[in-house]
Amino acid sequence: MKHHHRNPRARGGRKRQPSRRDPLIGFEAPVTIEQVGARGDGIAHVQAPDGKSVLVYVDCVLPGDEVRVALRQKRGDGYGAEVIEELKRSPAFNPPRCSHFKECGGCALQHMNDDDYRAWKHDKARTAVLRAGIDPEDADDLIADVEISPPASRRRAGFSVHVGAAGVFVGFHGRFSHTVLNVPDCVVLRPELMAFREAFVTFLSSCPPDQARDIKEVFVTHADNGLDVLIHATADPDLDMRQDLAEFADSLNIARLSWKVGDRPDEPVAARHTPTVGFENVNVPIAPGGFLQATREGEQSLVTALKAALADIAPKQVADLFCGVGSFTFALALSGKRRSVTAVESDPRAVELLQYAVGQSGSPIKVVKRDLFRQPLPATELAGFDLVVFDPPRAGALAQCEELAIGGPEWVLAVSCNPATFTRDMRVLRNGGYEIQKIVPVDQFLWSSHLELFAVLRRTKAA
């Protein structure tokens, strides 16, 4: 009888246990939508077969809607659910403005009427203020009306691109999906961006497929003097593709078209002139794919709120933190009485472009490159200012707020694009002796769950 020596590195002879399938996945039940959640989805409860109440999140519904849903995936403390039958619609239902509403992941609330939508955004601001520790009665007095950007006003967009056997797709991902959808009638983007999208589909359809498949995303910004286009691809374009792109840019009067592969610097393929945006009549160049406020209208709402605050504060020395290319910098320096402004930004390209514009305009602005996440201005440096303005990315300004709480000036103006980090930062400032004087909610992402908040704070007591 042969004896087979066992390989000591081999696994034992245990059978693989089949993965346990969640028994609620696929479960169907009728529900009545109770409220709209923070992400714009409907919230309801269903009774599971074991009698327990289960929380479900449902897209494209409103409070009062009666629908039959199927549970599709675990999501946080509940389940994401899909509507499989509409039983009864709420009287508040509004026909969506876009034919892609249910499929596209860009908008969440097109089906909500305008009054309810405005009230929902106001409640979102109110929730953020309450979580910052403000009493409900005071919160209602602090929050101004929501400033909402109109349809067809978004001036920048990132289009996903897929070229395959089924054709050319330039648009947005489907709701909770990686599938790219063509969106020829998007109602939130400026007409110039939509005209570009249509022309780009035609252009890619005429390109050699192997070249077109290299393109994965295209970012388009409507600058004051034309479109700025940045293509993200997996490989460099060949000479023929470069020539075709140059002709395409010329035919659409594109200000600049650039190409970027991975983490390498972007390369201009066609540059008719440098795209610029105007702040207080100062033309500032922008970098390919660089940050701007999403709409001109939203930017103006924020600047108007800032100027109103300046009239009451009358500062002389101002720090503009996370300044970008100067969305607020020139308003701080040049509106009303001229003020000395120190503008601080970490992005080297934004710093270079802002320095150029400052030099051309002769504005009383000093531009400083500094990573405020790693090196926030300490209390010793803050002592030289009588006003600090900050507008950080979605991560917020925790490190800088901690320094402001220790030794910041009397006045702070805060702009936030994330209510969650806004709440955290406001708590830090309030613990340091600041009190919120006013909140202006600004909605630049129409029919989405996003909301910007502008806050005026004043130090009322020492930390």
Side-chain angles (χ1 to χ4, degrees), residues 59-391:
D59 288 322
C60 306
V61 292
L62 294 174
D65 282 352
E66 298 177 17
V67 293
R68 187 173 185 83
V69 300
L71 276 58
R72 295 305 188 201
Q73 71 278 330
K74 194 77 175 71
R75 181 173 152 190
D77 53 353
Y79 289 80
E82 177 187 8
V83 175
I84 57 176
E85 184 182 2
E86 295 180 0
L87 304 175
K88 182 181 178 182
R89 275 291 192 182
S90 162
F93 175 78
N94 195 70
R97 285 76 161 177
C98 175
S99 61
H100 312 289
F101 169 59
K102 289 188 176 181
E103 293 77 27
C104 178
C107 294
L109 295 163
Q110 280 191 23
H111 58 311
M112 182 179 280
N113 68 56
D114 291 344
D115 290 341
D116 287 347
Y117 176 74
R118 181 178 291 276
W120 185 79
K121 286 283 174 128
H122 189 276
D123 285 346
K124 195 173 181 71
R126 188 175 187 272
T127 298
V129 172
L130 293 178
R131 288 176 176 171
I134 304 297
D135 290 335
E137 297 80 5
D138 295 333
D140 293 332
D141 294 333
L142 291 175
I143 304 172
D145 291 338
V146 184
E147 301 282 346
I148 300 178
S149 296
S153 64
R154 189 93 58 82
R155 62 176 169 179
R156 56 185 177 87
F159 294 108
S160 297
V161 179
H162 175 75
V163 179
V168 174
F169 296 84
V170 178
F172 302 119
H173 287 116
R175 197 174 297 275
F176 301 112
S177 168
H178 294 293
T179 302
V180 179
L181 302 175
N182 275 324
V183 285
D185 59 343
C186 178
V187 292
V188 299
L189 299 183
R190 287 185 63 98
E192 295 88 347
L193 272 63
M194 295 308 299
F196 167 85
R197 192 214 72 86
E198 183 177 359
F200 198 57
V201 170
T202 302
F203 170 76
L204 290 179
S205 300
S206 66
C207 290
D210 58 335
Q211 289 277 305
R213 279 194 291 268
D214 289 337
I215 298 175
K216 301 303 178 184
E217 290 181 295
V218 55
F219 289 86
V220 190
T221 301
H222 182 266
D224 291 353
N225 58 346
L227 295 182
D228 184 36
V229 178
L230 175 62
I231 293 172
H232 282 251
T234 56
D236 291 318
D238 62 19
L239 291 177
D240 289 339
M241 186 64 159
R242 291 174 184 273
Q243 180 63 36
D244 292 342
L245 284 168
E247 294 175 359
F248 171 73
D250 189 61
S251 69
L252 287 187
N253 196 28
I254 292 173
R256 179 177 61 199
L257 188 150
S258 306
W259 188 282
K260 182 175 175 61
V261 177
D263 294 330
R264 286 159 42 187
D266 50 78
E267 175 191 359
V269 175
R272 302 176 72 252
H273 49 262
T274 301
T276 62
V277 291
F279 304 122
E280 301 297 314
N281 297 317
V282 177
N283 291 325
V284 183
I286 60 173
F291 173 79
L292 288 177
Q293 297 294 334
T295 69
R296 263 293 187 187
E297 293 82 354
E299 179 181 89
Q300 189 55 52
S301 294
L302 292 168
V303 170
T304 298
L306 180 142
K307 289 181 178 180
L310 291 177
D312 296 330
I313 299 169
K316 295 181 180 179
Q317 299 289 332
V318 182
D320 182 16
L321 310 183
F322 307 96
C323 66
V325 292
S327 297
F328 307 127
T329 310
F330 292 96
L332 287 167
L334 303 178
S335 63
K337 295 181 180 179
R338 289 168 72 92
R339 309 168 188 87
S340 178
V341 176
T342 299
V344 185
E345 172 58 42
S346 63
D347 181 358
R349 297 181 78 175
V351 169
E352 179 183 352
L353 295 170
L354 182 55
Q355 285 175 329
Y356 172 81
V358 168
Q360 292 294 104
S361 65
S363 305
I365 299 168
K366 176 185 177 182
V367 184
V368 177
K369 180 183 179 300
R370 182 168 182 157
D371 185 341
L372 293 167
F373 290 110
R374 292 183 172 87
Q375 289 182 294
L377 266 64
T380 52
E381 293 185 51
L382 292 170
F385 302 101
D386 47 12
L387 170 66
V388 167
V389 179
F390 65 83
D391 180 17

Side-chain angles (χ1 to χ4, degrees), residues 22 24 39 41 43-45 53-57 71 73-80:
D22 189 325
L24 287 181
R39 292 171 56 176
D41 43 14
I43 296 177
H45 290 81
S53 178
V54 177
L55 181 66
V56 294
Y57 301 93
L71 276 58
Q73 71 278 330
K74 194 77 175 71
R75 181 173 152 190
D77 53 353
Y79 289 80

Side-chain angles (χ1 to χ4, degrees), residues 439-460:
I439 299 285
V440 180
V442 178
D443 181 14
Q444 298 195 67
F445 292 87
L446 187 63
W447 299 317
S448 79
S449 60
H450 296 290
L451 184 66
E452 289 195 72
L453 297 170
F454 175 92
V456 179
L457 298 102
R458 186 176 190 180
R459 185 184 289 280
T460 58

